[in-house]
């Protein structure tokens, strides 16, 4: 399906209205997974022309996404990844875990950004970061699209490595999301050390329900992401 390539429109606007010089695009992956971390990439691109075919990682085939990621790693001015572990997601809630991962990514950049373009409509970063939220920014903004692709490919590799000792769960194929293979293994074997234990999928597993962690999240957030709330066999 044809799609409009991302542009530097938002970045140019931020430069003109705020005087920002270093602007990072930020995107996350893994929010709706049952296992593994939530991962955030911060990417700084400047105003250069991006590699051909850059767009939201979800619109790309696996092969194209991986090859594009290799191009982007050489092309971006700088990038950094931040992760929040399943334990941190359980302890803090998704909103706070996302902020933790994003701050880790931003603070790992060689130069602190003057402004951040954040994919989506909710600013989970907040002060002291200067944030511009953009709905579907991973399709419309060059820096966010670059962050989207890098984050997805790097987290997929991480999940494949974590899945080596848990082959029945198919992490290399599903990246911790609730695929049929993942659900079947979970019902039979119970959660791995990489599963999020505060989530509602455990309610449908009587033999493993005792492992569920109570939610005591200070921010009151609930991980209401589609696909994680129940088993739906």
């Amino acid at each position: 399906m044809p799609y409009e390539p991302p542009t530097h429109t938002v970045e140019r606007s931020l430069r003109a209205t705020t005087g920002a010089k270093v602007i990072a695009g930020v995107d996350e992956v893994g929010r709706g997974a049952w296992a593994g971390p939530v991962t955030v990439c911060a990417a700084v691109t400047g105003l250069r022309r991006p590699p051909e075919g850059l767009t939201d990682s979800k619109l790309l085939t696996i092969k194209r996404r991986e090859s594009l990621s290799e191009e982007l790693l050489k092309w971006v001015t700088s990038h950094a990844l931040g992760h929040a572990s399943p334990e941190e997601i359980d302890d803090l809630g998704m909103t706070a875990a996302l902020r933790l991962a994003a701050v880790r990514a931003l603070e790992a950049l060689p130069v602190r950004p003057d402004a951040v373009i954040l994919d989506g409509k909710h600013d989970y970063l907040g002060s002291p970061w200067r944030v511009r939220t953009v709905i579907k920014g991973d399709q419309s903004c060059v820096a966010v699209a670059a962050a989207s692709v890098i984050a997805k490919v790097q987290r997929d590799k991480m999940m494949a490595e974590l899945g080596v000792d848990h082959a029945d769960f198919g992490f290399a194929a599903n990246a911790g999301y609730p695929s049929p293979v993942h659900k079947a293994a979970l019902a039979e074997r119970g959660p791995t050390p990489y599963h999020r234990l505060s989530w509602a999928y455990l309610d449908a597993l009587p033999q493993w329900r005792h492992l569920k962690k109570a939610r005591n999240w200070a921010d009151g957030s609930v991980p209401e992401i589609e696909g994680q709330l129940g088993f739906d066999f």
Side-chain angles (χ1 to χ4, degrees), residues 30-31 37-38 83-102 104 124 196-199 213-225 228:
R31 188 189 306 208
V38 62
H83 311 280
S85 69
E87 293 82 5
E88 289 170 328
I89 294 169
D90 287 335
D91 291 343
L92 301 174
M94 182 53 72
T95 300
L98 273 173
R99 185 177 195 279
L100 183 63
R104 285 170 173 166
Y124 56 76
R196 303 167 188 181
L197 299 181
S198 61
W199 287 31
K213 290 185 177 180
R215 294 170 175 168
N216 297 307
W217 302 333
D219 63 10
S221 67
V222 176
E224 66 282 282
I225 307 305
Q228 76 83 26

Side-chain angles (χ1 to χ4, degrees), residues 18 34 46 48 50 53 79 82 102 106 108 152 168 193 196 201-202:
T18 70
W34 287 3
R48 293 170 298 139
H79 82 283
L106 289 166
K152 173 62 176 169
D168 290 351
R196 303 167 188 181
Y201 67 81
L202 281 171

Side-chain angles (χ1 to χ4, degrees), residues 27 29 41 55-58 138 143-153:
D27 198 15
V29 64
C41 180
T55 188
D56 173 14
S57 65
K58 295 185 292 295
D138 48 11
V144 179
S148 167
V149 173
I150 294 171
K152 173 62 176 169
V153 172

